[in-house]
Amino acid sequence: MVIPAVLACFLSTPYWEVSCVAAFDYNPYRSASETFGILFGDSWTFVWPVVLIAAFQILGAAIVIAAVDMHFRTGRLTVRSPLRHINNTVAPIAIGVAVMSVFSILWRFLLFGLVMLVQACCGGMGFPAGVTLAVISVITVGMFVLHVLIITPVLFWAPIMIVYGYKFRDAAAMSYKLLAGKHVFVGLFLPLLLCAGLQLLVGLLQAHSAISITTSFVIFLFTNAYATVYTMVAFYTISELDRRDLKPYYDMPLPVIPKKHDASNASEQKKENKKSEIKQPDDAPTDESETENRQKPPKSSKTQKKQTQQKERKQKPRSEKRTADAGNESPRAHKAAEEEQKSKADADEAIAAEEGEHVV
């Protein structure tokens, strides 16, 4: 963060879209070329230095985000671990910086058009220079507020891609859903507005170049560091992710990844445990709950044959008893049927005898 701040303070002025009001020198009625040069500043003429500053900015932000992420995950703040994971953070940050750079250039063109419109309208109506300059100041501050409001979700693209592993499109869509109903904009906008006001004050006072360069360096450094760290803190807070740097997570043990020899020893122990379970006899004295939950070894074919033979032997006498009972019951039923037939024949004979007597 220090290197890009040192380079940027000599080539450009931070928050130029607000502090450019001081460059009008209390004379808002300028030509189109002069207004264009005021709004875009000297950085428009220095292309390669600006690209170099952007490259250092991406590298510095990648290191800071990697350090903060590892600090939140492990609770330890070191310099070696961010350098190891810097490859995972450079690409997402580069995408975000490129998008914000393109958007800021287009925003400057829009601001240029609005300023030219104010100059033409106020000049045609005969407004004094002070009123026109005040209107331009209000427009620049309003455009700055909208600029920060639109760019805020872009700042969260990098944490979403780094932590969740989302792609560019998924991270862009997720950022707007993540920030919906959250008051993240206030915590980011107020410090940036104070920095912009300080830079505008230095420009209006027309301070010495050493003071202006020093102020620009401090503002560049504070803005880069604050925006990066605030984005990570707000992302972990909104996503409700665990942070091991906080006190409630100090006593939680970290997950330990076993080494190769530890993994081989663990596999050998598992094999020995399986062998010992197989060797244990089935009739060993255990509790009822243990016998139900115990996993018995697979039975051999011989033992299965013995068990089936024993079941068949037990079933044979039961079937014989059933047949014997059926045989004992069959003669009884036959006798009862014969007795019924005899009783019916006797009754028929008695009826026939009575009918003969009546006839006589």
Side-chain angles (χ1 to χ4, degrees), residues 66 73-74 93 122 136 155 165 177 179 220 224-225 284 306 346 353:
R73 290 175 181 270
T74 62
I93 295 172
C122 293
I136 292 174
L155 297 174
K177 294 179 181 179
L179 299 179
F220 268 122
N224 295 335
K306 290 181 180 179
D346 295 336

Side-chain angles (χ1 to χ4, degrees), residues 263-282:
S264 61
N265 293 333
S267 61
E268 290 178 357
Q269 289 179 358
K270 288 181 180 179
K271 290 180 181 179
E272 291 179 356
N273 293 331
K274 288 181 180 180
K275 290 180 181 179
S276 61
E277 289 177 357
I278 293 170
K279 289 180 180 179
Q280 287 181 358
D282 295 337

Side-chain angles (χ1 to χ4, degrees), residues 299 303-318:
K299 297 179 181 180
T303 55
Q304 290 178 356
K305 288 181 180 179
K306 290 181 180 179
Q307 290 180 357
T308 53
Q309 290 176 1
Q310 290 177 359
K311 289 181 180 179
E312 290 177 355
R313 291 174 183 174
K314 291 179 180 179
Q315 291 176 357
K316 282 182 180 180
R318 292 179 181 176

Side-chain angles (χ1 to χ4, degrees), residues 165-294:
Y166 285 2
K167 295 182 180 180
F168 168 68
R169 294 180 180 178
D170 298 334
M174 183 64 183
S175 63
Y176 291 98
K177 294 179 181 179
L178 187 66
L179 299 179
K182 306 297 189 300
H183 300 285
V184 179
F185 174 75
V186 178
L188 182 64
F189 171 71
L190 291 179
L192 300 185
L193 184 61
L194 292 175
C195 292
L198 178 61
Q199 189 65 43
L200 178 60
L201 180 63
V202 172
L204 291 174
L205 295 176
Q206 296 180 355
H208 193 267
S209 59
I211 297 175
S212 62
I213 290 173
T214 304
T215 306
S216 299
F217 168 75
V218 173
I219 291 175
F220 268 122
L221 183 61
F222 173 78
T223 302
N224 295 335
Y226 178 79
T228 305
V229 176
Y230 178 79
T231 302
M232 290 298 295
V233 174
F235 172 73
Y236 268 80
T237 303
I238 294 171
S239 302
E240 297 180 356
L241 299 175
D242 294 339
R243 288 178 51 183
R244 294 187 178 273
D245 61 321
L246 300 177
K247 290 183 179 180
Y249 300 98
Y250 280 168
D251 298 331
M252 292 179 63
L254 294 174
V256 179
I257 300 174
K259 297 180 180 179
K260 291 183 179 179
H261 62 275
D262 294 337
S264 61
N265 293 333
S267 61
E268 290 178 357
Q269 289 179 358
K270 288 181 180 179
K271 290 180 181 179
E272 291 179 356
N273 293 331
K274 288 181 180 180
K275 290 180 181 179
S276 61
E277 289 177 357
I278 293 170
K279 289 180 180 179
Q280 287 181 358
D282 295 337
D283 298 333
T286 55
D287 297 336
E288 293 179 359
S289 60
E290 292 180 357
T291 54
E292 291 177 358
N293 297 324
R294 181 187 295 174

